Amino acid sequence: MTPEAAQKAHALQDLLDMEKMTLSSKTRAAQSPAERWMRYLGFPGGIALFLILYYLPAGPGLSASAQAGAACFALALVWWVTEPFPTYVTSLVLMFLLLVTRTAGAKAIMDVLGMEVIWLNLLAFILSSMLVKTRLAKRMALWLVTKFGHKATWALFAFLVLQLALAPLIPATAARCVMTLPLMIVVAAIYGSTEETPNAFGQNLMLLNLAAISVLSSVTMTGSSANLIAVGLIESMGGHRVYYMDWMRVGAPIAIVTMVLMWILGQKLLFRIKPEDQVPHLEGGLDLVKQKYAAMGPLSPLEKKGLAIFGLVLFLWMTDVFHLRWFGVEISAPFAALLGAVIVLFPRWGILQWAEAEIPWHLLIFSAGAYAGGLALDSTGAAEWGVRMLFGGLNLKALPFGIAYTLVVSVMMYSHLLTTSKTVRTLIMIPIIITLAKSLGWDPLSFALPAALAIDWVVGLPISGKPNVILFSTNQFSVMDNLKYGLVTCTLGVVLLVLSAATWFHWLGLTPAFWAMPR
């Protein structure tokens, strides 16, 4: 074995033993000349776009603060995509710009670090560190590979099944991401994809999980809180009560078919896996993995303690709808994780010391900047103004149902590229869509329910959702990789939603004839 091969094999062994389970704050190295040019041009390009949007004459109904907020967010978006700086530096710049342009006050910007989603990220990483220290993550990863790791394609499929099983049970996408992240890192390493030497298997693994965590949340109406908000708006404004099975019979087929297609397209078309990466890279291959799994023996007392703590948190995540009846108070996902973290860190009886918890602070800063920008677009009215201008500029009354439906679903599907909060998008867009459907003479449910299915599809950019931010920090894929994979996923979703409107949804009585004209 050459020295280089020996060094790589040793690095893989380290990862397999969970000794390097960290998320690096380093910027991912440019993988091609095109990426290097993007980094050179992204810096002046972001500044130029900011100046153009900031000094353009304000549109009708657009306030000065809304225009400034849009300019700040546009600059950050260009820098996040092209990566002339680490993403967390761009987030800090965005937060400063929001202040000096008077888009948001100092308190509103700083308060972002106190948001529930930031706390959930922090606490979930403490639980993830517990999984690593107790070796539960290693045990689960080795078991997964021994059962499904004979070929890379089936290892990817195993994660797809895993995320489908977790989606109805755990509404918090960040929680699902962090609890499976150690498994992803170890399995990626087994197939030769590490932070230093990422390959197509690692790209497929991380991006398939990223998409599955979000898209499969639309399988059930309890898959995310945004789904439930949409259901409430449809009932209060549209006059239709959406039941659990109503949502599932329209949402589940779309989400599952999309993810099966992305499992195929990702490895066959977008990021083709080389033949040598289709099998484990560890010397000894699957036999070594099986030996390591057997050598772990039965569950240790520490593993059992970790399993009990994590089981308690999972139980609270899965039963949140019953908390008020049982306890008289709702224990939300962040507070369930908080209870788990308290037990994990408790002196003498816990599992971790604070210094042993791998908390990626750069990731939390990145998230804070993204949320500060998104909330500024919402609070200044810039996001709602953009949506209203888009729909107001389209003469949908002259179009048949199918065309108007396609436009509405497409706007909803791709809107996550600009607004980072599913709740904000839901509160802004679902009322507008319901009002639009009524003005055209269509049943509000025919527009609003299919549009609501697209709320969870936040897969286009690392800033689009919490799992995106977390997985991007593994350095296994670039922003452009994320954008390419996300656009293909969303486009597939739009195509399937449109085909369903003409067939499946119409047979269910949800949509009228595809070419019917407004009354």
Side-chain angles (χ1 to χ4, degrees), residues 250 254 258 401-411 413-414 446 450-451 453-454 457 490-506 511-515:
V250 298
I254 303 292
T258 298
F401 170 82
I403 303 302
Y405 169 96
T406 301
L407 290 171
V408 168
V409 166
S410 298
V411 169
M413 182 68 77
Y414 298 109
S446 64
L453 298 178
W457 296 46
C490 290
T491 303
L492 269 178
V494 170
V495 170
L496 289 173
L497 283 167
V498 171
L499 290 176
S500 297
T503 55
W504 174 241
F505 293 172
H506 182 57
T511 57
F514 197 77
W515 296 109

Side-chain angles (χ1 to χ4, degrees), residues 128-146:
S128 179
S129 299
M130 177 199 70
L131 291 178
V132 172
K133 182 174 180 180
T134 60
R135 302 198 310 163
L136 277 171
K138 178 180 178 180
R139 183 182 293 275
M140 289 186 285
L142 293 177
W143 179 86
L144 193 70
V145 174
T146 58

